[in-house]
Amino acid sequence: MLFNVTLFVFAAAALCISFRRDRQKTKKALAIAWNSFRNLIPSMLGIIGLIGLMLALVPREVIAGLFGNNSPAGILLISLAGAVTLMPAFIAFPLAASLLQSGASVMAVACFITTLLMVGIITAPMEVNFFGKKFTFWRNAIGFVLALVIGGVMGVVLQ
Amino acid sequence: MKAQLRRYALFALVVVADLLLYLQHPARGEQAIRSALDYLVEMLLFIPPIFVLVGLLDVWVPRQIVEKNVGPDSGVRGVIISILVATAAAGPLYAGFPVADALLRKGCRLANAVIFLGTWATIKIPMLMMEVKFVGLPFALLRLALTLPAIIATGYLMEMILKVGETGRFAQGAGENKCSVKPL
């Protein structure tokens, strides 16, 4: 929350300074901001709805029950889940902690967290919008492989 | 108009799914809609200032400054600046897309833009504090130590992959051929 307030204050201050310096340029900046916001709205609404559905349909306990052992299938499954899911840190880390507590392996949890952060399947349409298909595909593919490596190493080291 | 409507297809699908879920399991349907609304509010609390800052960046920061600091010849300095700026950023990854896009259009090196996005996604100061709190310091530190080189490697790999034989946007490190923000 403090973060958001800081962000708003910072943006407002920058806007004031800009307005004093040059009204025309500030108007143009606001028009650019509004246009990018308007472009984002449709996909943002869709993604938010998907997150809501996911949270309602997949209870924590189900996820926790599946990844107790270190089987390759379990690791791959939880990594794919991480790649597909989109959740903010304040949900992801408590979830990771509860996974560990309910007996999930460090490797499974580390793979989940790293793929969750580095790969975004749900946000891919938005990424394509900005940077194109090729960029999106490769950034996510490289991210997925490296996330698995990172998760694997973490699992071994932190055993 | 038709293209505009098509962009709402996903949202329309979700609304239908929410309705069906609500009819079958009212409690779950309500939960889905409630968490979606929570997220919406949360996003509206940080997205507007980010876009205002992107707009200001667009009109005020001259191309030369971006090129000098994170452009094709910025070297290690460019990498460090990209990482530091992104760790300070707020919001989820897709809030970083327009920022990286604006940087690219201003002459930012492709590798640095990818590093910027990677850092934005994986390493943020408030996020690290959450991580330490829930899964412990060794987990957080090890993840940080392994993720940093991975992000940098991704940046250079992406540059190699996208630049080869590319005539469009990423050919010269930055392209102005394709603008997601329509010129006014």
Side-chain angles (χ1 to χ4, degrees):
Chain A
M1 201 59 214
L2 182 68
F3 232 65
N4 293 2
V5 173
T6 317
L7 198 61
F8 263 92
V9 171
F10 187 62
L15 203 58
C16 281
I17 294 167
S18 169
F19 191 72
R20 282 205 166 171
R21 284 267 191 89
D22 189 329
R23 286 189 183 197
Q24 274 323 102
K25 273 192 171 181
T26 310
K27 263 191 189 165
K28 204 177 152 197
L30 283 176
I32 291 171
W34 174 243
N35 272 337
S36 9
F37 184 64
R38 228 180 32 187
N39 277 333
L40 185 74
I41 289 174
S43 39
M44 191 175 88
L45 285 176
I47 288 166
I48 288 172
L50 270 188
I51 299 177
L53 276 173
M54 211 169 53
L55 288 178
L57 290 174
V58 190
R60 263 183 193 198
E61 305 78 50
V62 174
I63 304 174
L66 281 170
F67 309 105
N69 53 4
N70 238 343
S71 73
I75 298 287
L76 192 65
L77 187 63
I78 202 168
S79 303
L80 288 175
V84 173
T85 349
L86 181 79
M87 56 176 85
F90 65 86
I91 297 180
F93 287 117
L95 175 62
S98 77
L99 282 169
L100 285 171
Q101 270 161 21
S102 37
S105 65
V106 176
M107 194 181 284
V109 173
C111 282
F112 176 68
I113 290 289
T114 46
T115 52
L116 180 74
L117 297 175
M118 290 174 86
V119 187
I121 303 291
I122 294 188
T123 51
M126 222 189 271
E127 197 171 343
V128 170
N129 235 353
F130 277 109
F131 308 106
K133 279 182 190 150
K134 208 172 165 191
F135 180 101
T136 306
F137 171 78
W138 283 108
R139 199 191 67 80
N140 285 287
I142 297 171
F144 188 70
V145 173
L146 289 179
L148 280 182
V149 174
I150 292 171
V153 173
M154 286 178 71
V156 172
V157 174
L158 297 176
Q159 204 95 72
Chain B
M1 192 62 206
K2 221 176 170 183
Q4 270 292 7
L5 283 178
R6 204 173 308 143
R7 301 182 62 202
Y8 283 95
L10 178 64
F11 181 56
L13 268 173
V14 166
V15 170
V16 172
D18 272 336
L19 278 176
L20 289 176
L21 183 63
Y22 186 78
L23 291 176
Q24 291 294 317
H25 306 275
R28 287 209 172 166
E30 207 187 302
Q31 196 201 331
I33 294 164
R34 206 180 32 228
S35 24
L37 287 177
D38 283 350
Y39 273 92
L40 182 64
V41 169
E42 200 188 306
M43 272 166 208
L44 292 178
L45 283 177
F46 69 81
I47 283 182
I50 285 183
F51 277 122
V52 167
L53 289 173
V54 167
L56 289 172
L57 176 101
D58 220 19
V59 298
W60 282 110
V61 181
R63 199 180 164 87
Q64 298 92 289
I65 289 189
V66 175
E67 272 184 350
K68 197 178 132 218
N69 288 297
V70 287
D73 303 316
S74 57
V76 179
R77 199 174 115 92
V79 173
I80 294 171
I81 291 175
S82 305
I83 291 173
L84 286 182
V85 172
T87 45
L93 179 59
Y94 47 84
F97 292 155
V99 185
D101 182 52
L103 284 174
L104 275 173
R105 278 185 292 108
K106 286 271 170 182
C108 175
R109 183 178 173 170
L110 177 60
N112 288 340
V114 174
I115 291 168
F116 175 83
L117 279 178
T119 313
W120 185 304
T122 52
I123 306 164
K124 277 186 296 197
I125 308 299
M127 199 164 92
L128 282 176
M129 292 188 303
M130 283 288 290
E131 187 172 354
V132 171
K133 195 171 131 201
F134 281 101
V135 286
L137 193 60
F139 190 101
L141 283 184
L142 187 58
R143 192 180 67 79
L144 181 69
L146 293 171
T147 303
L148 269 177
I151 289 169
I152 296 169
T154 309
Y156 287 103
L157 261 174
M158 288 282 293
E159 203 172 82
M160 276 161 58
I161 293 170
L162 291 178
K163 263 187 173 171
V164 175
E166 202 77 0
T167 48
R169 155 149 221 241
F170 303 116
Q172 310 300 323
E176 291 185 288
N177 328 12
K178 183 208 152 213
C179 285
S180 58
V181 181
K182 305 277 177 300
L184 299 161

